[in-house]
Amino acid sequence: MSLIELQEVVKTYGSVKALRGLNLSIPEGCLYGLLGPNGSGKTTTLRILSTLLEPDSGQVHVAGFNVLGNPRAVRTRLGFVAQDIALDKILTGRELLQLQGDLYHLRSSVKDLRIAELTARLDMDSWIDRRCGSYSGGMKRRLDLAAGLLHQPKVLVLDEPTVGLDIESRTTIWNLLRELKSLGTTILLSSHYLEEVDVLADRMAIMDNGRVIAEGTPADLKKELGGDRITLRVQEFSDENESEEVRSLLSSINEVSHVVINRSQGFSLNLVVDDQNVLPLIRQCLERAGFSIFSLSQSRPSLDDVYLRSTGKTLMDAELELAGKRDVKLESKKAMR
Amino acid sequence: MTGSIEFPTSEPASQMQLASFTQETLALTRRLFLQLARRPSTLIAGVLQPVIWLILFGALFSNAPEELLPGGMSYGRFLGAGVIVFTAFSGALNAGLPVMFDREFGFLNRLLVAPLISRSSIVLASVIYITATTLIQCFSIMAMASFLGYGWPEPGGLLLTVLTLVILVFAVTAISLGLAFSLPGHIELIAVIFVVNLPLLFASTALAPISFMPAWLGWLATINPLTFAIEPIRAAYGGSVDLHTVLIHAPYGDVNGFGCLAILMGLSIGLFFLIRPMLNRKLA
Ligand SMILES: Nc1ncnc2c1ncn2[C@@H]1O[C@H](COP(=O)(O)OP(=O)(O)OP(=O)(O)O)[C@@H](O)[C@H]1O
Ligand SMILES: [Mg+2]
């Protein structure tokens, strides 16, 4: 049975379509990665799951309960770790956890026990009684995570929980998530780190522009792509026309597929080859047309390739494209309740 | 259904609900007091300002002719009631600030994601906190006024004073919370507080009786809620707690002590009803 279920979810902010018919189904006990570039709608999706935001249309269920029909039942079963960490600077970490425990109506003994457990588990002993205002990014993240876990939720939703963290904090969080999963917690985490989803997730979905464009286990998604990835340049920096020309040349070779121009990498070309023997063929074909190969690298398919394949853009491209269009300050102002 | 196995009764009994509601309200109130204990400057400033008024204004008119004020009251004693009410008013006007900061910094989201029994606990915590702190401020002012020789009410008068202040604080808290949920940010909220504060003081009977004022200002003063709080407290300081006594000779008619309290009470209840739909929407 799936513990998180979204069907045809649509959400618009004024004229911006943030979600355009999103479908997602996350089985019980799964650690699920939601991968997507900036602005693809990850936070919007997770805020809908947390009951902070209402979808315009579509069905949303968490732990079997409708988020609109029975939000309180959802809230008791859900741990939510938001993208923007909101702590109270004046309270100590412990006081924040105590407040959190009271908001979830934990009995006093359970509350203290859980705080002690999580403090030990997340290595917070030495600073938990200091005020939150003095914490580093990693400390804030860990405290925020502890707050989300205090009531032992069945379902844990985390919005880019490791962004900008030092390696130590990141490893601590990764290990904790694996441990929670082994204890049966269903976890959904968003990320725009491919590696993170690749290492951590059992299953994953790639989001782009408010939709899921690929879904499966990381291994399946990569296998589906088949073949080896080749990145090729005919010059250190090509221009658009030259790359286009090379692209059509390469596309004419039978054993070559999915030739894409990577605009963020100096118009280099990404392509997929069926087997090793194609390389000499490529070389010949280019030389005949008067091109020489400046550089060529070969690799097994990665998740970045999945993204590139599904959207025709690399993740980086997608981010750059959106970065210019967004007014983050205005968005957070509008998201204010 | 997996979800319901852990929680065999889908809705806890009403007694448990009450206990949970108390738990969340107390926790939210405790947070506000912790903030206050660690940052007492606003509380202290809220006392210092009226104390300075009390001393300076009291001194300014100390040589005024005896029979100047109605009943031959000294100006200091006259002023005392005004300054006490001003303290309560400006203290309660700040009620919305913590809420506004929680909205801006996203802390409110933490509360909204939690399975609160009722989100009125957020409002209730603010009301408890601001009532307690403004009363502390008012008592400091009253102690100061008594130290300056401006008197101290009889037990009955003290009760009337506290009652009047509490009703006023409720009304002003409602306004401030309403603003905190409708204005875009704390800068706007502080601007409104700043603009509203002094004019309301001057257009009331805090500093001078209506007989001193031109007709138009007298009109304003007799519809100003502060006046309805000031006059009962002034009467209490003058030794009278008879609510039948006419306290305000307004151009539209006489208002006695009962009238003052009823108007304040009506205002308070009315304002909470007025902001309710908005709170429901913002906290839905
Ligand atoms: N409050 C808002 N008001 C208006 N537009 C918004 C608001 N929040 C998000 N958007 C827009 O909706 C789209 C999806 O945004 P969302 O925050 O869900 O993306 P995201 O995948 O979480 O991005 P990021 O990786 O930057 O966190 C974007 O185009 C964004 O500009
Ligand atoms: Mg986001």
Side-chain angles (χ1 to χ4, degrees):
Chain A
M1 135 161 192
S2 65
L3 278 210
I4 296 180
E5 185 86 47
L6 295 112
Q7 286 162 3
E8 292 301 321
V9 175
V10 174
K11 176 73 196 177
T12 52
Y13 300 101
S15 61
V16 181
K17 283 207 155 164
L19 301 180
R20 354 176 147 226
L22 183 85
N23 290 296
L24 209 55
S25 173
I26 297 167
E28 182 160 10
C30 183
L31 205 172
Y32 199 98
L34 192 59
L35 182 70
N38 278 147
S40 55
K42 302 183 296 295
T43 298
T44 304
T45 309
L46 302 192
R47 283 171 69 92
I48 287 176
L49 292 173
S50 75
T51 75
L52 277 176
L53 208 60
E54 286 188 8
D56 298 345
S57 66
Q59 291 291 315
V60 184
H61 287 87
V62 176
F65 294 97
N66 190 315
V67 290
L68 291 180
N70 203 345
R72 229 169 72 72
V74 171
R75 289 179 198 130
T76 33
R77 290 157 181 85
L78 182 84
F80 181 62
V81 181
Q83 183 167 9
D84 303 312
I85 312 169
L87 302 175
D88 186 332
K89 278 192 284 199
I90 305 176
L91 299 188
T92 67
R94 187 183 304 280
E95 285 160 353
L96 183 99
L97 293 180
Q98 284 165 341
L99 171 65
Q100 183 91 11
D102 286 327
L103 297 180
Y104 284 81
H105 311 120
L106 301 187
R107 267 187 294 125
S108 163
S109 53
V110 178
K111 193 170 67 185
D112 293 342
L113 190 72
R114 284 295 291 159
I115 293 176
E117 274 174 17
L118 286 164
T119 306
R121 182 64 189 77
L122 285 162
D123 273 331
M124 307 191 294
D125 295 282
S126 57
W127 45 266
I128 186 88
D129 288 307
R130 280 186 7 214
R131 294 195 198 170
C132 298
S134 67
Y135 292 174
S136 71
M139 290 150 99
K140 286 183 189 162
R141 261 295 167 212
R142 280 190 255 173
L143 179 65
D144 197 29
L145 182 60
L149 289 173
L150 202 65
H151 62 295
Q152 296 184 284
K154 279 180 78 66
V155 181
L156 182 64
V157 168
L158 311 105
D159 200 354
E160 304 196 21
T162 62
V163 71
L165 286 193
D166 55 285
I167 297 185
E168 191 204 327
S169 294
R170 183 188 293 201
T171 316
T172 310
I173 291 179
W174 281 5
N175 288 339
L176 179 64
L177 293 183
R178 289 195 181 103
E179 187 183 310
L180 286 167
K181 193 198 88 167
S182 72
L183 295 171
T185 310
T186 306
I187 303 171
L188 170 62
L189 101 159
S190 78
S191 177
H192 58 245
Y193 293 137
L194 296 159
E195 309 79 42
E196 181 163 70
V197 175
D198 202 359
V199 206
L200 215 52
D202 304 321
R203 287 186 76 81
M204 60 171 297
I206 299 182
M207 272 187 85
D208 185 56
N209 207 357
R211 269 204 204 95
V212 171
I213 51 172
E215 209 270 345
T217 67
D220 279 349
L221 286 180
K222 284 189 278 184
K223 199 160 76 200
E224 226 171 75
L225 286 172
D228 274 10
R229 321 275 105 192
I230 303 261
T231 302
L232 176 149
R233 293 164 192 264
V234 290
Q235 277 188 57
E236 185 162 13
F237 298 105
S238 296
D239 59 23
E240 177 133 30
N241 295 335
E242 189 175 42
S243 314
E244 271 302 333
E245 205 177 320
V246 178
R247 195 178 74 92
S248 51
L249 279 171
L250 294 174
S251 302
S252 63
I253 305 173
N254 269 339
E255 294 83 349
V256 171
S257 59
H258 303 106
V259 190
V260 190
I261 298 174
N262 187 341
R263 280 160 223 278
S264 57
Q265 305 275 329
F267 293 99
S268 61
L269 290 130
N270 296 55
L271 46 128
V272 179
V273 295
D274 288 350
D275 63 276
Q276 304 289 331
N277 309 333
V278 190
L279 286 185
L281 234 95
I282 292 179
R283 200 174 295 274
Q284 262 177 28
C285 162
L286 288 180
E287 273 167 10
R288 230 183 289 130
F291 292 108
S292 62
I293 292 178
F294 175 78
S295 74
L296 185 149
S297 63
Q298 191 172 0
S299 63
R300 300 293 305 151
S302 76
L303 285 176
D304 210 354
D305 298 309
V306 180
Y307 189 79
L308 185 66
R309 160 86 167 274
S310 320
T311 64
K313 298 177 288 193
T314 62
L315 261 175
M316 170 115 49
D317 258 344
E319 311 237 299
L320 289 175
E321 193 178 298
L322 260 160
K325 288 195 210 151
R326 283 178 86 174
D327 182 344
V328 177
K329 266 223 177 102
L330 187 74
E331 273 172 29
S332 70
K333 198 94 200 163
K334 280 197 191 154
M336 232 169 83
R337 299 273 289 217
Chain B
M1 246 273 328
T2 15
S4 49
I5 292 169
E6 269 177 276
F7 300 81
T9 45
S10 59
E11 276 307 300
S14 67
Q15 209 171 2
M16 258 189 71
Q17 284 216 6
L18 185 64
S20 297
F21 181 73
T22 312
Q23 185 180 14
E24 68 200 32
T25 307
L26 286 183
L28 290 168
T29 312
R30 186 177 112 96
R31 167 174 175 241
L32 293 170
F33 277 103
L34 280 174
Q35 289 178 335
L36 176 70
R38 286 168 199 172
R39 284 203 178 157
S41 50
T42 39
L43 184 84
I44 294 168
V47 173
L48 276 185
Q49 194 191 12
V51 164
I52 293 169
W53 289 67
L54 206 55
I55 295 172
L56 283 185
F57 273 86
L60 195 59
F61 291 97
S62 57
N63 290 334
E66 291 243 322
E67 61 295 353
L68 186 68
L69 289 164
M73 203 187 264
S74 82
Y75 188 72
R77 185 175 288 243
F78 178 87
L79 185 67
V83 171
I84 292 165
V85 167
F86 174 67
T87 308
F89 172 68
S90 51
L93 215 42
N94 289 325
L97 271 177
V99 172
M100 179 57 98
F101 284 122
D102 279 353
R103 284 180 68 208
E104 287 184 309
F105 292 116
F107 200 88
L108 185 63
N109 287 341
R110 184 182 290 285
L111 312 183
L112 297 183
V113 168
L116 300 181
I117 297 289
S118 160
R119 287 169 173 183
S120 21
S121 53
I122 301 172
V123 175
L124 187 56
S126 298
V127 173
I128 295 173
Y129 167 77
I130 212 74
T131 308
T133 50
T134 45
L135 282 183
I136 291 170
Q137 290 175 318
C138 288
F139 274 112
S140 316
I141 299 298
M142 288 166 71
M144 188 65 199
S146 141
F147 175 77
L148 291 170
Y150 302 154
W152 182 266
E154 304 282 302
L158 190 62
L159 196 70
L160 177 63
T161 304
V162 173
L163 180 69
T164 312
L165 289 176
V166 167
I167 305 174
L168 177 73
V169 166
F170 282 178
V172 180
T173 301
I175 298 175
S176 187
L177 288 175
L179 290 172
F181 278 106
S182 50
L183 293 176
H186 73 274
I187 302 198
E188 290 81 357
L189 181 59
I190 289 172
V192 171
I193 293 175
F194 189 76
V195 167
V196 165
N197 219 347
L198 290 187
L200 251 97
L201 177 74
F202 286 116
S204 77
T205 57
L207 306 176
I210 294 172
S211 56
F212 285 22
M213 302 177 188
W216 63 270
L217 188 57
W219 252 105
L220 281 182
T222 49
I223 55 169
N224 183 340
L226 292 193
T227 300
F228 298 114
I230 293 166
E231 291 307 326
I233 294 176
R234 188 166 283 152
Y237 264 80
S240 149
V241 284
D242 181 6
L243 292 177
H244 297 287
T245 317
V246 171
L247 298 178
I248 305 170
H249 297 284
Y252 50 79
D254 289 346
V255 186
N256 64 16
F258 276 121
C260 287
L261 291 187
I263 289 169
L264 283 181
M265 188 66 113
L267 190 69
S268 198
I269 295 171
L271 282 167
F272 268 101
F273 270 100
L274 193 72
I275 65 166
R276 235 175 78 131
M278 182 192 356
L279 295 187
N280 282 345
R281 187 154 26 86
K282 294 283 182 168
L283 296 177

